Amino acid sequence: MAFLGGILLVQQLAALPSLWWALLLPPLLWLARRRPLWFLPVFFVAGVAWASLRAGLILQDSLAPELEGRDLLVEGRVDDIPKPTGFGQRFELEVSRATLDGAPVRVPRKILLNSRARDFQPRAGETWRLPVRLKRPHGYQNPGGFDYEAHLFRDRIRARGYVRDSVAPQRLAEPAWHDIDRWRQELGESIRARLPGSEYAGIIVALANGDGRGLATEQWEVLRRTGTLHLVAISGLHISLIAGVVFFIARRLWSLPGTTVLRLPAPQFGAVCALLAAVFYAALAGFVVPTQRALIMLTVAMAGILLRRRFPPSQILAVAGLAVLVYDPLSVMAAGFWLSFAAVAVILFFMHDDRRHIPVAWKWGYIQWAIALGMLPLMLAMFQQLSLVAPLANMLAVPVFDLLLVPLTLCGALLLGVAPDAAGWLFGFAAWLLHGLWQALAWLAEPSFSQWTQAAPPAWALIGSVVGVLLLLAPRGWPARWVGAVWLLPLFLVRPPLPAAGEVWFTLLDVGQGLSAVVRTREHTLLFDAGPRFGDFDTGAAVVEPYLRAAGVRRLDAFIVSHGDIDHVGGAPSVLREMPVGMLLSSVPEKLPPAQPCRAGQAWSWDGVEFHILGPDDDAGASRRNDASCVLQVRSRHGNILLPADIEARAEKKLVQQLGGHLRSEILVAPHHGSKTSSTPAFIDAVAPRHVLFPVGYRNRYRHAHPDVVRRYAERGVVLHDSPSAGALEFRLGAGGLNATAYRTWQRRYWHAN
């Protein structure tokens, strides 16, 4: 725990601590020889030093800023199975050589590439020479959102980019015959060929080779709402099951002749076979991080058998955790690390002596409810969501997956080379079983109450909830176990802070090259645009909805979609699907059937704050598409906010002529992302903003914001903000004045781009 604490401390820092801290270890070790209590700071400092060293080595393998956006020629091996996307393919490349204008340059060892070329179809394990453009990892930074930069850092990907069409890609070498990723891709293709038209082929493939990219969006949604996502990944549960089955079978077969146990005890032979089976199954998944963690935990568990010693389960869990952290201290950045160890800890704590003699069927049900209860604080803290049907869904699904689907899939994979017809029959039988199970899972996922969603609880409520869980799972006879339920109440009763009456909290979300903003008053919430969509990814689901959930917003009183460009309307369908909406306005109501047209003159008041639609006017149909955007002004006694969407010079001129000084606003979202066709001098003078916000993407292809526009604002003394450097921008207009906060600044971590 002390070693883990040191690693966690490093993960909270904006810059890595100096490795000189390691010099504290010798004196601390000397003190620990006299007083064992000093081993706590020894392991704590060791955790800090080890995490800093490993993270520092990854940071050194970064793309030089001067190479961003340059045409490079790289050579490397396709690492892992390429993923089809809505616009082409995405794949990882393990780089062996890179050049710029013929001169060698240094680029990160592992990069992530996208390709739109239809005639370029890379396969896992192949070696290619590719023309690329790269940039450093840069993700959206928003409260409640997914930290994509942390995800890439954990996977050691230090640059991403796309394949250029300036030079034709050249295949340099085919995959080696022993290449694991090649076999994994061919296995997935063989399974799909024997399950033509089956909607469950993607799940069968995921169980065989760990490639879950073939699952449909609807299938992921069912798994998420039922809390069964872990079943379609080759993780600790499946690996432990295969290892356990192999252990008992191998031990039994080894002991049958009788004389074999004289050379090697049957339990030890079974443990060796179990580890080999686990390694084989992990190889099918490409030795991804969750399988590495599972192998380490399994090796520690089997060590007691191999060493012929009995260790307490809690000690085995602790040693396994230490081994995982030594192998990869960055494991703490993955939710799977916490979920796997927490689940095992809950089971060990729950299975007291008084519960060991419960009938198996009842014990299985008790364990599922214990896991659901024990994981409740962690799930709300990490995801702000909790599946209320997870215990029942897992009671049904875990036996089907682990006792039937996984063995059938693996047996089919082994038979593909010798008896393909038999393998096809096994895959078909697995798909038939899955079809029956899926009806039950879909039925459980359908009700709106199947999933509980709320804001992340504060730290003090989480600590109290852990006490409550321990009390509720305590052995029978423990006094006042029911008091644990009281300790859980703050998890559900504490709500995030709200604006005071008359105050406005305005947040410009970081959605890259797009726009999405949230305006909150005491009792109401308005969303202005929902950001872009790229293929099967949209910021409505990835950014807007998580932010609203983190802020404690369960209903939108108004949702305005300014116009029909994909960088504004792209995320709207996801928001409408996940969030109840009161009033829906748009300049393109035909794209959102429930919407009503927005028109100049519409106005309403919430909690002492006024909302005015300034455009478009009645002749907007004759205007250019951008000039027909909805324009919103928020007026309060503490200041005004103007959101002009993508209007250009023509619409700006009309607003200045019609409203003049009424446009004055302390906060202005730059029209059209700071394009040179907007932000005319007359418009800026009429608005007279104190702060201007540029909602743009990192190194976007449009080169927004235009230098001339930036200069106009700077010459007038306006404070400039942009999404790439600030992340989400929050402004609070209240009695204390105007307070601005940049999320990327106050939540900066050492792996974030500067």
Side-chain angles (χ1 to χ4, degrees):
M1 295 301 293
F3 191 74
L4 173 63
I7 293 174
L8 289 178
L9 173 64
V10 174
Q11 302 309 108
Q12 308 307 312
L13 301 178
L16 288 175
S18 170
L19 291 178
W20 290 106
W21 280 94
L23 295 178
L24 291 174
L25 288 175
L28 289 174
L29 283 169
W30 182 82
L31 291 171
R33 292 180 59 189
R34 297 173 174 268
R35 293 183 179 273
L37 192 62
W38 281 96
F39 273 113
L40 289 176
V42 166
F43 277 91
F44 182 84
V45 173
V48 172
W50 183 236
S52 301
L53 174 64
R54 294 290 297 274
L57 293 175
I58 299 174
L59 289 178
Q60 288 181 1
D61 188 34
S62 297
L63 182 70
E66 59 269 19
L67 295 180
E68 287 190 292
R70 305 291 298 275
D71 287 336
L72 306 175
L73 197 63
V74 301
E75 297 177 8
R77 171 186 171 274
V78 178
D79 194 26
D80 208 349
I81 303 172
K83 176 188 177 182
T85 63
F87 49 82
Q89 290 195 86
R90 180 182 298 120
F91 60 96
E92 298 174 9
L93 192 76
E94 190 174 335
V95 179
S96 58
R97 185 172 181 268
T99 58
L100 172 63
D101 299 329
V105 293
R106 183 178 177 275
V107 301
R109 185 182 64 86
K110 195 174 182 182
I111 61 178
L112 181 66
L113 295 174
N114 289 291
S115 172
R116 294 177 179 267
R118 295 183 180 274
D119 55 349
F120 173 54
Q121 299 293 326
R123 295 180 62 82
E126 293 179 338
T127 302
W128 285 82
R129 180 182 292 126
L130 304 170
V132 302
R133 279 189 180 176
L134 301 176
K135 59 183 178 181
R136 292 177 294 172
H138 197 284
Y140 308 134
Q141 290 292 313
N142 299 278
F146 177 67
D147 192 341
Y148 186 57
E149 291 177 51
H151 169 74
L152 294 178
F153 183 81
R154 189 178 69 243
D155 288 347
R156 278 65 171 174
I157 297 174
R158 299 302 299 147
R160 52 193 295 259
Y162 62 95
V163 179
R164 296 269 291 161
D165 56 6
S166 55
V167 179
Q170 181 182 358
R171 184 190 289 110
L172 300 179
E174 297 288 341
W177 68 268
H178 53 77
D179 192 286
I180 293 175
D181 292 325
R182 167 196 173 183
W183 289 105
R184 292 176 58 230
Q185 184 170 6
E186 292 179 352
L187 174 60
E189 292 170 349
S190 298
I191 293 175
R192 289 189 179 93
R194 284 159 177 79
L195 293 173
S198 174
E199 59 183 316
Y200 305 108
I203 299 178
I204 303 298
V205 170
L207 295 177
N209 67 359
D211 182 15
R213 290 169 284 193
L215 274 73
T217 303
E218 297 77 12
Q219 291 175 326
W220 284 119
E221 183 66 14
V222 169
L223 293 169
R224 181 179 66 87
R225 294 183 66 86
T226 56
T228 52
L229 275 170
H230 61 100
L231 294 178
V232 296
I234 300 180
S235 58
L237 180 63
H238 298 330
I239 289 179
S240 300
L241 168 79
I242 295 300
V245 171
V246 171
F247 172 79
F248 287 109
I249 293 177
R251 185 179 69 172
R252 179 62 178 169
L253 294 177
W254 184 254
S255 61
L256 284 179
T259 57
T260 51
V261 296
L262 299 176
R263 299 182 180 180
L264 182 68
Q268 288 184 309
F269 179 79
V272 172
C273 292
L275 287 174
L276 291 176
V279 170
F280 170 75
Y281 197 19
L284 287 179
F287 289 111
V288 293
V289 173
T291 63
Q292 296 173 11
R293 184 170 59 243
L295 281 177
I296 293 174
M297 295 176 68
L298 184 64
T299 301
V300 172
M302 291 296 176
I305 298 175
L306 294 173
L307 297 174
R308 304 184 189 181
R309 294 186 60 182
R310 183 181 296 274
F311 297 102
S314 58
Q315 193 175 72
I316 293 176
L317 182 64
V319 173
L322 181 62
V324 168
L325 293 173
V326 170
Y327 175 75
D328 183 13
L330 301 185
S331 293
V332 299
M333 301 174 70
F337 171 87
W338 299 98
L339 296 177
S340 58
F341 277 99
V344 175
V346 168
I347 294 173
L348 293 178
F349 181 77
F350 177 73
M351 292 307 296
H352 306 290
D353 291 335
D354 61 333
R355 291 170 177 152
R356 295 185 186 277
H357 304 293
I358 300 174
V360 175
W362 285 99
K363 186 185 295 184
W364 177 245
Y366 282 141
I367 288 177
Q368 293 303 319
W369 286 105
I371 292 176
L373 178 62
M375 303 288 280
L376 187 151
L378 193 60
M379 296 295 290
L380 290 181
M382 301 182 72
F383 308 112
Q384 296 86 59
Q385 290 181 332
L386 182 70
S387 174
L388 300 181
V389 299
L392 181 56
N394 278 278
M395 284 178 62
L396 297 173
V398 170
V400 175
F401 269 83
D402 285 350
L403 300 181
L404 296 173
L405 294 178
V406 172
L408 286 170
T409 301
L410 290 182
C411 289
L414 293 173
L415 290 174
L416 272 173
V418 293
D421 291 338
W425 184 87
L426 290 176
F427 294 141
F429 184 49
W432 179 79
L433 289 173
L434 191 54
H435 174 76
L437 174 65
W438 202 260
Q439 308 310 307
L441 293 180
W443 181 78
L444 289 172
E446 185 175 358
S448 58
F449 59 80
S450 64
Q451 192 168 52
W452 175 269
T453 300
Q454 68 166 56
W460 65 267
L462 287 174
I463 295 173
S465 67
V466 172
V467 176
V469 167
L470 293 176
L471 285 172
L472 291 172
L473 298 181
R476 294 178 182 177
W478 191 273
R481 286 195 303 165
W482 62 270
V483 176
V486 178
W487 285 86
L488 292 177
L489 290 179
L491 277 182
F492 306 99
L493 299 181
V494 177
R495 291 285 178 263
L498 296 171
E503 289 187 348
V504 179
W505 289 3
F506 172 76
T507 303
L508 180 72
L509 296 175
D510 179 12
V511 293
Q513 188 64 26
L515 176 63
S516 184
V518 179
V519 182
R520 300 174 63 199
T521 64
R522 178 67 183 178
E523 301 291 342
H524 298 81
T525 302
L526 177 144
L527 175 65
F528 190 91
D529 286 339
R533 183 180 73 243
F534 311 100
D536 56 356
F537 172 87
D538 73 80
T539 53
V543 174
V544 179
E545 198 271 334
Y547 169 79
L548 295 174
R549 186 169 65 239
V553 177
R554 298 189 176 185
R555 181 181 185 275
L556 290 174
D557 299 282
F559 181 15
I560 299 176
V561 179
S562 63
H563 63 301
D565 284 359
I566 197 65
D567 57 332
H568 294 252
V569 74
S574 294
V575 173
L576 293 172
R577 183 173 58 250
E578 296 291 335
M579 189 76 59
V581 175
M583 176 174 57
L584 179 60
L585 300 176
S586 178
S587 65
V588 285
E590 66 278 3
K591 289 191 175 184
L592 300 166
Q596 298 297 317
C598 60
R599 286 287 182 267
Q602 293 171 321
W604 62 93
S605 178
W606 289 338
D607 310 315
V609 179
E610 297 179 356
F611 294 78
H612 295 265
I613 301 293
L614 307 183
D617 53 23
D618 292 335
D619 64 348
S623 301
R624 296 174 56 189
R625 181 180 60 188
N626 285 341
D627 284 341
S629 300
C630 302
V631 178
L632 173 70
Q633 187 178 44
V634 182
R635 301 173 184 170
S636 76
R637 60 176 177 269
H638 304 297
N640 299 343
I641 305 167
L642 183 62
L643 293 94
D646 277 2
I647 64 171
E648 299 179 345
R650 179 180 174 182
E652 290 180 355
K653 181 179 179 180
K654 184 179 294 186
L655 286 175
V656 172
Q657 292 174 345
Q658 293 175 347
L659 298 172
H662 291 290
L663 289 174
R664 185 175 297 273
S665 301
E666 280 69 21
I667 299 170
L668 169 67
V669 178
H672 201 190
H673 314 281
S675 165
K676 65 179 180 180
T677 60
S678 304
S679 295
T680 58
F683 180 77
I684 298 175
D685 291 337
V687 178
R690 291 171 52 190
H691 298 265
V692 62
L693 285 55
F694 295 103
V696 297
Y698 177 67
R699 297 188 63 87
N700 65 89
R701 60 175 176 164
Y702 305 103
R703 299 295 186 264
H704 293 158
H706 195 276
D708 292 345
V709 171
V710 173
R711 185 172 60 252
R712 287 175 208 156
Y713 286 108
E715 289 173 349
R716 290 163 172 79
V718 182
V719 181
L720 309 179
H721 308 268
D722 66 87
S723 301
S725 60
L729 282 158
E730 183 177 85
F731 293 82
R732 297 190 175 185
L733 289 76
L738 190 158
N739 297 314
T741 304
Y743 184 79
R744 187 177 279 273
T745 300
W746 70 272
Q747 280 291 325
R748 180 173 295 281
R749 298 293 184 264
Y750 65 84
W751 59 81
H752 288 152
N754 295 320

